[in-house]
């Protein structure tokens, strides 16, 4: 008797997971194509990083204002609205005639991410009836989607060079397909509210120390933002690599490393947080060193730095989220979780904007060096603060 419900639930789970991954894939597709966009639309280095940063700013805004929308009108409608924004973004990218259209497309991509990220996590948690498992599988879907974006865009563009923006057209079609599939599955919100009240993500006063301690572990988001916005430009301009397939794979590296770090290093870092901060420091120091080298050594050091920084970030931020949520009641966890992601996306935007601004003034290579040094020093500062703030309290570990 239970076989049909189990199959139906499995189908719903698969559709939501695929939808989440495809939605996030679209947000990183421009990563490998920034040099192409620079040449096609005359974008400066600062403008290219602003194109990335505006996405993070829009995600922040949507998270702050519409974080509770799916609780009010249901999971499916919000997911479908997000996918509509994603499809519209893909169409605009495909037909863009000038830079302003690219920025509008990027804004719509941010709307999609802001609506889908929290909603998909809640949808998956509803389906598996476990906040821990829901968070785990949603984070994997998130990173798989983010990591596949640069590679998919680069490979499609390489094999169909006559249509440089073909990847965005393909993604628009995939978004439409996901909307159809979502319409076929049941929602998990049975009782809808009568209205929507915009709500800012808040942390209860008793949990502010936890928020500060966990928030230190979001530093890697600045690395994600800066490197995602600059990597392909740096690889082309400083390292001389122009093969789109390589650019796509390099653009995906930090996301793959972050996914592996979540699974492989989370438990270790929850017990020994200094390892995560030390890894982030070493990774960003290598990133800083790479542009000062020459030839294949520069490329290898940069890639190894990305790998180490990504692994460390992936191990740190889920532990930080667990610390933030460990004493929060169920009815406040959505708000507290959003507050954590707001901090993460703020650092993502800051990393991209800061790197782009320095790059415009001093060049891409020098900007990456100063960026890496700055984050390495911040890693040391975060480690010292973490030790100080946890010295007289029980060491926080994420709840299972």
């Amino acid at each position: 008797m239970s076989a049909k419900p189990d199959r139906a639930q499995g189908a719903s789970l698969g559709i939501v997971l695929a939808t989440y991954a495809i939605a996030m894939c679209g947000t990183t597709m421009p990563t490998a194509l920034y040099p192409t966009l620079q040449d096609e639309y005359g974008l400066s280095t600062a403008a290219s990083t602003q194109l990335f940063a505006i996405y993070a700013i829009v995600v922040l805004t949507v998270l702050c204002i519409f974080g509770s929308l799916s609780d009010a009108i249901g999971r499916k409608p919000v997911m479908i609205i997000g996918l509509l924004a994603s499809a519209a973004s893909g169409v605009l990218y495909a037909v863009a005639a000038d830079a302003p259209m690219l920025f509008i497309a990027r804004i719509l991509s941010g709307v999609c991410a802001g609506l889908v990220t929290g909603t998909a996590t809640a949808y998956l948690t509803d389906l598996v009836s476990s906040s821990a498992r829901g968070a785990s599988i949603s984070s994997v879907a998130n990173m798989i989607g983010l990591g596949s974006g640069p590679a998919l865009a680069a490979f499609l563009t390489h094999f169909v060079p006559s249509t440089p923006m073909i990847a965005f057209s393909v993604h628009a079609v995939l978004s439409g397909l996901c909307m159809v599939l979502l319409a076929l599955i049941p929602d998990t919100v049975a009782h809808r509210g009568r209205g929507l009240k915009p709500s800012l993500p808040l942390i209860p006063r008793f949990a502010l120390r936890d928020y500060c301690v966990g928030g230190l572990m979001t530093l890697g988001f600045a690395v994600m933002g800066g490197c995602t916005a600059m990597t392909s430009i740096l690889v082309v301009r400083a390292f001389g690599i122009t093969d789109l397939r390589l650019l796509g794979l390099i653009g995906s590296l930090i996301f793959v490393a972050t996914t592996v770090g979540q699974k492989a290093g989370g438990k270790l870092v929850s017990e020994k947080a200094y390892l995560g901060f030390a890894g982030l420091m070493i990774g960003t120091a290598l990133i800083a060193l790479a542009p000062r080298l020459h030839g294949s050594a520069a490329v290898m050091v940069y890639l190894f730095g990305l790998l180490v920084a990504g692994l460390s970030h992936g191990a740190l931020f889920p532990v930080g989220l667990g610390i933030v949520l460990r004493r929060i009641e169920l009815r406040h966890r959505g708000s507290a979780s959003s507050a954590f992601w707001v901090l993460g996306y703020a650092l993502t935007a800051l990393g991209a904007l800061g790197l782009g601004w320095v790059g415009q003034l001093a060049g891409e290579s020098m900007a990456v060096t100063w960026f890496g040094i700055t984050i390495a020093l911040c890693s040391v500062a975060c480690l010292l603060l973490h030790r100080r703030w946890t010295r007289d309290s029980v060491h926080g570990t994420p709840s299972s």
Side-chain angles (χ1 to χ4, degrees):
M1 295 290 290
S2 62
K4 287 185 178 180
D6 288 344
R7 283 198 295 269
Q9 185 177 11
S12 296
L13 187 64
I15 288 171
V16 176
L17 280 170
T19 297
Y20 190 15
I22 288 170
M24 300 313 295
C25 172
T27 67
T28 55
M29 275 187 163
T31 299
L33 303 180
Y34 281 132
T36 302
L37 296 177
Q38 281 189 318
D39 295 338
E40 288 283 331
Y41 299 95
L43 299 178
S44 65
T45 297
S48 296
T49 52
Q50 288 165 8
L51 186 63
F52 177 84
I54 196 171
Y55 154 78
I57 293 169
V58 172
V59 175
L60 272 173
T61 304
V62 174
L63 275 173
C64 286
I65 299 175
F66 299 112
S68 62
L69 183 59
S70 71
D71 293 327
I73 68 173
R75 312 292 187 216
K76 277 175 53 175
V78 177
M79 294 280 285
I80 290 173
I81 293 170
L83 288 165
L84 279 170
S86 178
S89 172
V91 171
L92 275 180
Y93 269 121
V95 302
D98 51 32
M101 289 184 71
L102 293 180
F103 277 87
I104 295 172
R106 196 64 174 144
I107 287 170
L108 288 170
S109 184
V111 171
C112 169
L115 290 175
V116 169
T117 300
T119 304
T121 300
Y123 211 156
L124 292 168
T125 302
D126 296 342
L127 288 169
V128 299
S129 302
S130 166
S131 59
R133 190 179 171 214
S136 176
I137 61 177
S138 69
S139 66
V140 171
N142 183 299
M143 285 300 162
I144 288 175
L146 292 173
S148 63
L152 179 61
F155 275 80
L156 284 173
T157 304
H158 173 80
F159 288 112
V160 193
S162 60
T163 313
M165 308 298 267
I166 186 173
F168 299 101
S169 299
V170 170
H171 189 263
V173 173
L174 290 174
S175 297
L177 177 60
C178 286
M179 282 187 271
V180 173
L181 292 174
L182 278 172
L184 301 176
I185 64 175
D187 206 325
T188 55
V189 177
H191 303 287
R192 313 276 171 79
R194 292 187 177 182
L196 171 66
K197 294 181 179 179
S199 58
L200 293 174
L202 300 173
I203 296 290
R205 180 171 295 184
F206 70 84
L208 285 177
R209 175 180 287 271
D210 290 342
Y211 182 73
C212 292
V213 173
L216 293 173
M217 296 182 171
T218 63
L219 179 63
F221 281 103
V223 183
M224 294 282 286
C227 290
T228 303
M230 182 65 80
T231 288
S232 60
I233 298 172
L234 178 73
V235 168
V236 170
R237 305 282 187 261
F239 301 153
I241 296 175
T242 56
D243 189 316
L244 268 176
R245 293 167 295 179
L246 285 176
L247 290 178
L249 293 174
I250 291 170
S252 297
L253 178 61
I254 195 166
F255 298 108
V256 174
T258 299
T259 304
V260 174
Q262 289 181 56
K263 293 298 181 183
K267 183 177 181 180
L268 181 62
V269 167
S270 69
E271 298 171 353
K272 300 178 180 180
Y274 68 87
L275 292 176
F277 291 115
L280 199 58
M281 180 193 68
I282 293 169
T284 51
L286 291 171
I287 289 171
L289 174 63
R292 311 272 66 84
L293 303 175
H294 301 285
S296 59
V299 179
M300 295 305 296
V301 169
Y302 184 73
L303 295 182
F304 189 63
L306 284 180
L307 180 63
V308 174
L311 288 169
S312 302
H313 170 58
L316 277 170
F317 87 83
V319 176
L321 179 57
I323 291 173
V324 171
L325 299 180
R326 64 183 174 182
R327 294 192 293 162
I328 302 293
E329 296 178 9
L330 182 63
R331 60 194 177 96
H332 295 305
R333 282 181 186 169
S335 179
S337 178
S338 294
F340 179 87
W341 286 109
V342 163
L343 181 58
Y345 275 106
L347 286 169
T348 299
L350 185 63
L353 288 172
L355 192 52
W357 179 70
V358 177
Q360 188 70 17
L361 295 176
E364 293 89 353
S365 295
M366 187 58 67
V368 170
T369 294
W370 282 111
F371 175 76
I373 291 172
T374 300
I375 301 298
L377 292 174
C378 287
S379 299
V380 176
C382 286
L383 172 58
L384 295 175
L385 284 173
H386 183 273
R387 284 186 169 180
R388 179 179 178 182
W389 289 345
T390 57
R391 185 178 301 156
D392 300 323
S393 62
V394 177
H395 187 289
T397 56
S399 59
S400 57

